[in-house]
């Protein structure tokens, strides 16, 4: 009886049983009023999670990558200049997508482990006409969060009217995201992380400014056309066959998140993350995140000693202990392993992951004392974590 549950990868995340069961629905006429009763609560719930009053929400049968494509194809035209910071694997992939779509991509190179520099965005924006600024809120490969509000302030300070497109795939639903307050024009996420569902839904929010841009945008789109989607939504349906089961699961997931209270959800993720950070410190290891202010509350990328292949930790954990951690990607492949602490997690679940990581590192000969990281996390969860719960 082996199983990789709970998993400690940064997505897909552990599924609550209620959400899993909600995905298993009988066949439904997706053009009937019954489907509209699933669709509209999903749209309203996502808007609430994004902390937006006016965003148009679109939910495609896809993943976060499809959400990226929807963001650029609906708002931009061939040859448009976009400005984007590269500080990890997922920002790199968005850059690659923009180039494949014939956009003029100006890249701000940022050391992996650092947040996106608002001052560099401002300087670049002062130099030329930029149609859109792209930013990754939470870089999943390095466990680094960036200040999106600061990038909007930099855009405004440069006198630019560029759209702000934000990848929130590994942050939205787990960490505070303020679409209206931060001036985000398109927010992109997916179902398999903070929303605790299987992969299969690309979830995007468009501001009024972004919706206006769709009327002039000339990049080709069909499947991801938000105009077609909006027309379908008006009648309580999709322009094509929707993933009814996943949508019903999203409806239940949103009910759970909003019943817990968004601020409580964010506090819980911070508590999980802080316990992991205490454990990493006790092990004598470092995070990939270069400073505390950029440490992610949804995933920690943990550096291993020079010359050690961090991927071995992931391999041995899966082989010997039936537990899943994340490998390093891109420039940090083999240099870090990742612990995801988002979605459906409790203190006790997190401790099991930390205990397993310790056993694996000891098995592989790293100088890690069994129980050291677990004890450090326990001390926080018992004291600092309890105070955090009480405040919430």
């Amino acid at each position: 009886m082996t199983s990789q549950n709970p998993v400690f990868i940064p997505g897909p995340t552990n599924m609550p049983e209620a959400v899993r069961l909600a995905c298993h629905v009988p066949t439904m006429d997706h053009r009937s009023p019954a489907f509209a009763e699933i669709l509209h609560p999903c749209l309203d719930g996502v808007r609430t999670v994004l902390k937006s009053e006016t965003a148009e929400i679109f939910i495609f049968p896809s993943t976060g990558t499809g959400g990226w494509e929807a963001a650029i194809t609906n708002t931009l035209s061939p040859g448009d200049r976009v400005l984007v910071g590269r500080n990890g694997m997922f920002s790199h992939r968005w850059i690659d997508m923009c180039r494949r779509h014939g956009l003029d991509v100006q890249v701000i190179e940022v050391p992996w482990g650092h947040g996106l520099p608002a001052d560099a965005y401002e300087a670049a924006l002062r130099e030329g006409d930029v149609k859109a600024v792209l930013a990754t809120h939470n870089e999943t490969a390095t466990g680094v969060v960036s200040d999106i509000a600061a990038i909007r302030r930099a855009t405004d300070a440069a006198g630019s009217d560029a759209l702000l497109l934000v990848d929130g795939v590994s942050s939205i639903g787990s960490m505070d995201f303020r679409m209206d307050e931060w001036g985000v024009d398109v927010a992109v996420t997916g179902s398999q992380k903070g929303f605790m569902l299987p992969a299969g839904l690309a979830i995007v929010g468009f501001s009024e400014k972004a919706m206006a841009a769709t009327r002039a945008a000339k990049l080709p789109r069909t499947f991801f056309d938000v105009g077609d989607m909006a027309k379908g939504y008006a009648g309580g349906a999709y322009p094509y066959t929707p993933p009814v089961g996943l949508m019903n699961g999203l409806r239940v997931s949103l009910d759970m998140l909003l019943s817990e209270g968004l601020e409580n959800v964010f506090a819980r993720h911070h508590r999980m993350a802080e316990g992991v950070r205490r454990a990493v410190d006790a092990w004598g290891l470092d995070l990939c995140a270069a400073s505390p202010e950029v440490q992610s509350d949804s995933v920690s990328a943990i550096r291993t000693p020079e010359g050690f292949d961090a991927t071995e930790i992931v391999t041995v954990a899966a082989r010997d202990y039936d537990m899943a951690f994340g490998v390093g990607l891109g420039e940090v492949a083999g240099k870090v392993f990742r612990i995801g602490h988002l979605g459906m997690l409790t203190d006790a679940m997190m401790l099991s992951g930390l205990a397993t990581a310790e056993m694996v590192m000891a098995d592989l000969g790293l100088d890690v004392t069994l129980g050291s990281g677990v004890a450090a996390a326990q001390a926080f969860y018992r004291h600092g974590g309890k105070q955090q719960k009480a405040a919430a």
Side-chain angles (χ1 to χ4, degrees):
M1 293 179 64
T2 61
S3 170
Q4 286 188 337
N5 281 311
V7 295
F8 294 96
I9 55 178
T13 61
N14 303 295
M15 278 189 289
E17 188 67 1
V19 171
R20 188 181 71 82
L21 292 174
C23 293
H24 294 276
V25 294
T27 301
M28 174 186 295
D29 178 1
H30 56 277
R31 301 192 186 281
S32 70
F35 177 66
E37 292 176 6
I38 295 173
L39 171 63
H40 292 297
C42 286
L43 303 180
D44 292 342
V46 169
R47 189 178 297 108
T48 299
V49 170
L50 293 178
K51 295 189 174 179
S52 176
E53 296 291 330
T54 59
E56 293 281 346
I57 308 301
F58 303 101
I59 303 172
F60 295 96
S62 185
T63 63
T65 303
W68 293 346
E69 190 155 335
I72 64 174
T73 57
N74 281 281
T75 60
L76 298 168
S77 299
D80 280 351
R81 174 172 289 184
V82 299
L83 178 65
V84 54
R86 174 164 39 206
N87 67 334
M89 195 65 194
F90 292 90
S91 51
H92 169 78
R93 288 178 180 174
W94 208 356
I95 290 165
D96 177 62
M97 179 184 287
C98 288
R99 287 174 171 158
R100 293 192 194 195
H101 279 81
L103 297 171
D104 177 7
V105 186
Q106 183 176 352
V107 179
I108 299 171
E109 296 290 355
V110 183
W112 288 31
H114 292 258
L116 298 175
D119 56 349
Y121 272 86
E122 182 178 345
L125 285 161
R126 290 184 183 278
E127 293 177 359
D129 182 36
V130 172
K131 294 294 185 182
V133 169
L134 279 62
T136 300
H137 183 213
N138 191 74
E139 178 49 70
T140 320
T142 57
V144 166
V145 65
S146 291
D147 188 343
I148 299 301
I151 292 174
R152 168 50 75 190
R153 290 193 297 270
T155 304
D156 293 343
S160 172
D161 64 353
L163 295 164
L164 177 56
L165 315 184
V166 178
D167 171 357
V169 172
S170 62
S171 61
I172 292 171
S174 303
M175 298 160 58
D176 198 8
F177 192 94
R178 306 182 183 189
M179 184 170 177
D180 289 357
E181 182 180 327
W182 296 347
V184 174
D185 291 302
V186 182
V188 178
T189 189
S191 55
Q192 75 275 23
K193 296 186 186 282
F195 292 108
M196 305 174 290
L197 284 158
L201 298 178
I203 302 167
V204 293
F206 275 57
S207 72
E208 293 176 349
K209 180 179 175 181
M211 289 303 295
T214 66
R215 294 191 283 274
K218 292 184 170 55
L219 279 176
R221 69 261 189 190
T222 302
F223 185 80
F224 292 114
D225 193 316
V226 298
D228 290 349
M229 193 70 87
K231 291 175 186 175
Y233 284 176
Y238 266 55
Y240 40 70
T241 307
V244 175
L246 284 174
M247 294 289 290
N248 195 52
L250 178 61
R251 180 182 62 81
V252 172
S253 169
L254 287 162
D255 284 346
M256 295 177 71
L257 290 171
L258 297 178
S259 294
E260 183 177 352
L262 289 178
E263 302 312 313
N264 293 331
V265 171
F266 304 148
R268 173 166 55 82
H269 283 82
H270 179 75
R271 187 175 73 249
M272 295 295 106
E274 187 59 29
V276 173
R277 292 190 277 262
R278 301 292 178 96
V280 171
D281 187 58
W283 294 334
L285 300 178
D286 294 317
L287 293 172
C288 185
S291 57
E293 62 269 17
V294 299
Q295 292 170 352
S296 167
D297 281 346
S298 64
V299 55
S300 292
I302 301 160
R303 292 191 181 276
T304 54
E306 189 85 23
F308 180 87
D309 183 1
T311 303
E312 281 295 297
I313 294 172
V314 179
T315 301
V316 172
R319 184 191 69 203
D320 294 351
Y321 298 102
D322 298 309
M323 189 165 281
F325 298 109
V327 298
L329 301 171
E331 289 185 14
V332 293
K335 300 176 182 178
V336 307
F337 72 101
R338 293 178 297 153
I339 296 180
H341 32 77
L342 71 165
M344 188 193 74
L345 279 177
T346 65
D347 298 356
M349 292 166 71
M350 196 70 252
L351 290 170
S352 73
L354 296 174
T356 303
E358 283 183 352
M359 291 191 292
V360 173
M361 288 189 284
D363 292 347
L364 291 171
L366 288 179
D367 185 18
V368 170
T369 301
L370 287 177
S372 59
V374 171
Q378 285 174 323
F380 175 73
Y381 292 151
R382 288 181 64 231
H383 300 297
K386 283 182 179 177
Q387 292 169 9
Q388 189 183 79
K389 283 183 179 180

